[in-house]
Amino acid sequence: MSKRVLTTESGAPVADNQNSASAGVGGPLLLQDQHLLEKLARFNRERIPERVVHARGSGAYGHFEVTDDVTGFTHADFLNRIGKRTEVFLRFSTVADSLGGADAVRDPRGFAVKFYTEEGNYDLVGNNTPVFFIKDPIKFPDFIHSQKRDPFTGRQEPDNVWDFWAHSPEATHQVTWLMGDRGVPASYRHMNGYGSHTYQWTNAEGEAFFVKYHFKTNQGVRSLSSEQAAELAGKDPNSHQTDLLQAIERGVHPSWTLYVQLMPAAEAADYRFNPFDVTKVWSHRDHPLQRVGRLVLDRNPDNVFAEVEQAAFSPNNFVPGIGPSPDKMLQGRLFAYADAHRYRLGVNHTQLAVNAPRATTAQNYGRDGLMAANPQGRYAKNYEPNSYDGPVETGRPLSAPLAVTGHTGTHEAPPHTKDDDFVQAGELYRLMSEDERQRLVANIAGGLSQVSRDDVIEKNLAHFHAADPEYGKRVEEAVRALRED
């Protein structure tokens, strides 16, 4: 059987791939060696800018199958009948570290799902925690700067981390999650995923519901202690990537059951706290979990760079029946994510195989730009409306309109009767067992005790005291003991 011929990128056959062309046997190399220059030039350009956040990631393909009827709440086509399957791609990630970081670190995990639906791609971009550190996107660059490597020392600095949290009391709930037992998942398979934000569903009659997504792992939640994580990160920085890859390769397909919490839109204004505040969870007593379907991962990417590193998720990729809420952090992400991909991958990143629609075809008037790969033919027009049978608008909005009122300006979120930055952090603490509380306190004190400024320490301690007096007292005593050593 004859082997395929190696060619240059223009398709010309390569005569010698082992030796560069030179001026004589021992002479200098020749500029005319097109294969050598092309090969080195491509090698120099193999890497693209890594994501500022969520740089280190893993991913896999699979499917989502509807198991329960939710047509009374949304007319989204991929949820329109029990048994319907939709292809998906799921990317897991750590948030703060760079592409070269370790998997087993104390950090939130990204949980981003791309549904390749028949009405276009729907991107649900969440985390493995139901809440986040801040509630307004204008604070996001500052938050990330405080958690990333310091410009001078080149490493993550406790002074920066805890100083930002000291000035952001709304972070107390997420800090309690992060420093608790679920702060370091044992693997990507053994953690839950959440939409975190509040979204909107609209049914066929135009009724609107606000919705929160919960993907519950069917493998069971498993986590690592700080000591176990440090050991694993040192032994195998790729631990979570390896676990996911090998599990799927041997036929052990991880799965999650999707549940939602639903709130009729009319109830949002009078809910006891702001339901669009991503630093808070909705009570399950008020809005019980309702099962929707099952997500299964059963195929690994063939090329990690092409399909994981270049995967682009944008929270503004909605489909009919699903839309945004007034959640300020979500509103900011509707712009920021797509803009980040245009910078990293170019304006035509949606044409890459992992990002392109699969169950339908994208039809629009976008043209040209770097790496354009959508020739439309000589008769296709690049404007609309036109008289040439080009694609036209439907006139049907994807979701129900959001009511707005008042004057423009930089407003704080409207207060609800029980808005508070500390109540839910205290409730989470009181739900923990004594062993869990001990580990939580030790994890917080381990970082906070390294802060150099007493005033920053005191501000953070005040947050834990406000969440729960016992919580604050134990953290304070643990910090004092470590600083006295």
Side-chain angles (χ1 to χ4, degrees), residues 238-288:
N238 305 300
S239 57
H240 290 35
Q241 160 69 15
T242 301
D243 175 85
L244 181 67
L245 174 76
Q246 293 182 348
I248 294 175
E249 287 297 292
R250 66 176 184 267
V252 178
H253 298 154
S255 67
W256 289 259
T257 300
L258 172 60
Y259 299 87
V260 294
Q261 290 178 283
L262 292 161
M263 176 188 294
E267 295 181 10
D270 296 323
Y271 195 54
R272 62 179 186 265
F273 59 83
N274 181 1
F276 310 119
D277 181 349
V278 74
T279 69
K280 295 180 174 65
V281 298
W282 295 358
S283 167
H284 288 199
R285 291 188 296 272
D286 295 343
H287 302 284

Side-chain angles (χ1 to χ4, degrees), residues 360-366 376 390-392:
T360 185
T361 302
Q363 302 183 81
N364 54 57
Y365 296 92
Q376 304 295 317
V392 298

Side-chain angles (χ1 to χ4, degrees), residues 67-342:
T67 58
D68 294 78
D69 183 10
V70 291
T71 55
F73 306 106
T74 177
H75 65 89
D77 180 75
F78 77 103
L79 299 174
N80 67 4
R81 61 177 172 82
I82 294 175
K84 186 161 190 174
R85 283 193 175 190
T86 299
E87 185 181 2
V88 301
F89 182 78
L90 198 161
R91 185 178 187 269
F92 306 96
S93 55
T94 54
V95 175
D97 213 342
S98 63
L99 189 59
D103 288 339
V105 293
R106 188 170 297 277
D107 197 14
R109 300 301 193 276
F111 193 98
V113 187
K114 187 181 293 291
F115 297 85
Y116 299 101
T117 89
E118 295 173 11
E119 296 181 302
N121 291 351
Y122 172 44
D123 289 352
L124 182 56
V125 188
N127 287 323
N128 72 326
T129 60
V131 292
F132 196 61
F133 297 92
I134 54 176
K135 61 182 75 173
D136 193 304
I138 204 167
K139 299 179 70 170
F140 187 74
D142 299 294
F143 165 61
I144 294 301
H145 289 165
S146 74
Q147 310 297 302
K148 300 283 276 188
R149 296 176 186 271
D150 182 86
F152 171 64
T153 65
R155 64 182 188 182
Q156 189 183 58
E157 291 292 346
D159 275 0
N160 300 346
V161 171
W162 289 95
D163 186 36
F164 184 88
W165 289 342
H167 290 87
S168 305
E170 70 269 29
T172 308
H173 192 187
Q174 173 72 318
V175 170
T176 304
W177 269 90
L178 178 62
M179 297 299 173
D181 279 1
R182 297 194 181 189
V184 190
S187 78
Y188 290 132
R189 298 182 295 128
H190 294 92
M191 69 181 195
N192 294 336
Y194 301 89
S196 299
H197 296 289
T198 301
Y199 295 90
Q200 185 206 79
W201 277 5
T202 309
N203 66 17
E205 288 72 42
E207 295 176 292
F209 301 84
F210 291 118
V211 60
K212 281 186 175 290
Y213 295 89
H214 301 248
F215 290 87
K216 301 289 189 178
T217 175
N218 294 320
Q219 290 71 237
V221 172
R222 287 176 48 201
S223 303
L224 302 174
S225 67
S226 296
E227 296 76 18
Q228 290 172 325
E231 181 179 358
L232 181 58
K235 287 182 175 179
D236 181 9
N238 305 300
S239 57
H240 290 35
Q241 160 69 15
T242 301
D243 175 85
L244 181 67
L245 174 76
Q246 293 182 348
I248 294 175
E249 287 297 292
R250 66 176 184 267
V252 178
H253 298 154
S255 67
W256 289 259
T257 300
L258 172 60
Y259 299 87
V260 294
Q261 290 178 283
L262 292 161
M263 176 188 294
E267 295 181 10
D270 296 323
Y271 195 54
R272 62 179 186 265
F273 59 83
N274 181 1
F276 310 119
D277 181 349
V278 74
T279 69
K280 295 180 174 65
V281 298
W282 295 358
S283 167
H284 288 199
R285 291 188 296 272
D286 295 343
H287 302 284
L289 295 179
Q290 301 188 43
R291 193 176 64 178
V292 180
R294 180 180 174 90
L295 186 153
V296 180
L297 299 181
D298 55 17
R299 180 166 67 87
N300 284 310
D302 292 322
N303 184 293
V304 172
F305 177 81
E307 298 166 89
V308 179
E309 183 65 13
Q310 293 194 128
F313 298 83
S314 299
N316 59 358
N317 286 342
F318 293 113
V319 291
I322 303 177
S325 79
D327 179 338
K328 284 188 175 183
M329 278 296 294
L330 172 60
Q331 292 283 324
R333 294 176 79 204
L334 299 182
F335 162 77
Y337 274 60
D339 189 59
H341 301 317
R342 295 183 191 106

